[in-house]
Amino acid sequence: MEDWKFYMPTKIRFGWGRFQEIRQVVDELKGKKIFLVTSKHFAKKYGILDKLSDFLKGLTLVVFAEVEENPTIETVDRGASQCKLNQCDLVIGLGGGSALDAGKAMAMLQRNPGSIREYLDQERTCQVKGLPYAAIPTTSGTGSEVTPFTVITHPTKKAKPAIAPPENFPDIALVDPELTLSMPFEVTASTGLDALCQAVEGFWSTQGNPLTRSLAFQGIKLAMENLESACVKKDRESVINMALASHLTGIEMSNIGNTSIHPLSYPITIDYGVAHGFACAIFLPAVVRFNARLIESQFRDLLRVLNLSNIEAFADKVDSFMEKLRAPRRLSKLGVKQEDIPGIAKRGVGRSTAWNPRPMTEEDIIQICKTIL
Ligand code: NAD
């Protein structure tokens, strides 16, 4: 593709120990009264919140530590009201994709009226940029710190819709891989597999361009070479490389979205309570095989770098990789029954399914699900 465009307004600071630059970030965004959005328990438990308070001494810090995994409309609206009530002038999201997305939505709602539900249901659209927003990831998976995507769970619809107005790109992404060290094995594995899925989807997407494909290529390579070590050894090099894999795929995805795998994950997360990355990855080997014929030549360089002979070997490698990471590989193990599959297929089709290299129908999804039941 020779004709393409790319947009990335987020300023990036990436590096081990850079969390201590938070005061500079706040000053750059002219924050005086800060609304901190983070996950339940974790920031307090690991002492990150204490460090943050220390770095921001002299400024007012209002803490909203109530974000659950896959944040809901109710949580976002509650946080947005508290931010307004406290008249904060800057929002910081600190945590995994759940906290970062919730923070994005809360910042947006400071200058756009109504509930986040109205935006998710397309009754309103974002008209103006929200409060300045700094995103600090503590997982290596979603890349949400560099995307406009704001994924919020809609309980009455049993869905995870997203909005992505360009105004929702964070102003600053502060990526300090050291913050991810406290992730337990399972969270490192699940979030890292999310990064791998994003990278693979970005690499084969029909929406791709030379820049997104370069980022996705690096993302796949980094994740395949470093995730196991980041889970088991937690050595500095692999931890940094996983933060980079997540970050690069976030930049790539910010412009072209995903393809067929991410929408399939949503019913699995909502109905069976499966972590986002695991819910994506369970489909990865089967969708690689489904796409095989159409991606073989595109994957040639990647296969060579990974020392693999063909696409089937890539799918096998991902499969054995998932086994080592103790990721679920059969839908039945999650509680999915044969009779649930048509419903999953119906709700697992999203806008981005159309960007899969091989057209994918509901019937195809049913067949894919049967192979991994
Ligand atoms: P998460 O944010 O839900 O976090 C998973 C768990 O890990 C939580 O319990 C959290 O408290 C904990 N945790 C986070 N960091 C930790 C750390 N350093 N140490 C110990 N525990 C830690 O998981 P996630 O996979 O990062 O985010 C998933 C969410 O992001 C989903 O809602 C998904 O749809 C969304 N998402 C958003 C984008 C985007 O671009 N906006 C992209 C992909 C996914």
Side-chain angles (χ1 to χ4, degrees):
M1 189 198 270
E2 286 172 3
D3 182 15
W4 53 277
K5 56 186 182 170
F6 195 86
Y7 180 62
M8 173 45 60
T10 305
K11 290 185 186 169
I12 297 164
R13 291 173 182 241
F14 185 105
W16 195 271
R18 276 200 182 239
F19 184 45
Q20 60 186 323
E21 292 175 12
I22 184 64
R23 180 64 194 234
Q24 286 158 254
V25 168
V26 167
D27 289 345
E28 196 174 329
L29 295 173
K30 301 189 177 22
K32 297 276 177 271
K33 204 165 186 190
I34 296 136
F35 193 68
L36 179 82
V37 181
T38 190
S39 294
K40 285 180 176 169
H41 317 303
F42 123 84
K44 277 183 199 153
K45 187 167 156 192
Y46 298 103
I48 298 177
L49 209 49
D50 291 339
K51 266 195 189 169
L52 186 79
S53 310
D54 226 34
F55 292 144
L56 298 181
K57 229 176 238 156
L59 301 173
T60 307
L61 187 63
V62 179
V63 179
F64 183 85
E66 294 175 37
V67 181
E68 68 278 61
E69 290 180 26
N70 309 294
T72 59
I73 291 171
E74 193 272 329
T75 303
V76 168
D77 285 349
R78 191 155 36 84
S81 309
Q82 288 189 23
C83 183
K84 213 167 272 175
L85 203 67
N86 285 284
Q87 298 181 320
C88 294
D89 54 16
L90 168 68
V91 179
I92 296 179
L94 171 74
S98 297
L100 300 195
D101 284 5
K104 258 180 223 175
M106 292 174 200
M108 182 191 104
L109 290 175
Q110 301 310 299
R111 291 184 178 152
N112 291 273
S115 158
I116 193 67
R117 184 202 60 73
E118 296 166 79
Y119 296 85
L120 298 168
D121 285 342
Q122 297 173 6
E123 293 166 12
R124 287 184 195 269
T125 52
C126 175
Q127 297 295 319
V128 288
K129 181 155 170 35
L131 280 187
Y133 181 56
I136 310 175
T138 63
T139 62
S140 292
T142 70
S144 171
E145 71 278 4
V146 276
T147 79
F149 301 117
T150 313
V151 188
I152 305 298
T153 298
H154 197 314
T156 50
K157 288 195 170 167
K158 292 181 100 191
K160 283 180 67 174
I163 52 167
E167 292 84 359
N168 275 11
F169 270 103
D171 295 281
I172 297 183
L174 180 60
V175 187
D176 178 352
E178 193 177 8
L179 294 177
T180 68
L181 278 177
S182 52
M183 282 192 288
F185 183 102
E186 197 183 328
V187 177
T188 313
S190 171
T191 54
L193 284 169
D194 182 22
L196 177 63
C197 289
Q198 278 173 192
V200 173
E201 288 181 84
F203 194 55
W204 69 33
S205 172
T206 58
Q207 301 297 296
N209 62 52
L211 179 53
T212 59
R213 274 195 291 274
S214 301
L215 294 165
F217 185 103
Q218 274 305 318
I220 298 172
K221 184 174 179 298
L222 286 166
M224 294 291 281
E225 292 176 350
N226 293 281
L227 180 51
E228 193 182 340
S229 182
C231 287
V232 179
K233 293 196 215 141
K234 285 183 184 280
D235 58 294
R236 185 166 161 154
E237 188 185 344
S238 59
V239 167
I240 292 174
N241 282 338
M242 280 314 298
L244 191 57
S246 166
H247 193 63
L248 297 183
T249 60
I251 297 172
E252 162 262 299
M253 180 181 62
S254 70
N255 276 247
I256 62 166
N258 284 302
T259 62
S260 57
I261 292 179
H262 267 68
L264 276 172
S265 78
Y266 296 151
I268 302 299
T269 291
I270 291 173
D271 295 355
Y272 305 95
V274 180
H276 173 68
F278 284 157
C280 291
I282 198 163
F283 293 103
L284 181 57
V287 178
V288 168
R289 292 188 177 102
F290 176 81
N291 287 335
R293 204 169 33 82
L294 285 152
I295 56 174
E296 187 99 47
S297 66
Q298 193 199 341
F299 269 55
R300 199 171 299 133
D301 287 349
L302 181 70
L303 293 172
R304 201 185 52 246
V305 168
L306 296 175
N307 216 7
L308 296 168
S309 52
N310 54 32
I311 288 289
E312 186 57 32
F314 179 70
D316 287 346
K317 175 100 181 170
V318 172
D319 209 23
S320 66
F321 192 50
M322 286 170 61
E323 190 177 10
K324 283 189 198 152
L325 296 177
R326 296 182 232 140
R329 292 183 303 135
R330 310 304 304 181
L331 290 170
S332 54
K333 285 260 168 11
L334 309 175
V336 177
K337 300 196 180 59
Q338 179 97 14
E339 58 269 29
D340 302 336
I341 291 178
I344 292 171
K346 200 171 200 56
R347 287 159 60 218
V349 175
R351 192 167 73 101
S352 63
T353 309
W355 303 332
N356 197 62
R358 177 174 164 192
M360 189 185 277
T361 62
E362 262 180 58
E363 187 47 42
D364 291 327
I365 297 175
I366 291 174
Q367 294 312 321
I368 286 171
C369 288
K370 282 184 182 165
T371 66
I372 54 169
L373 187 63

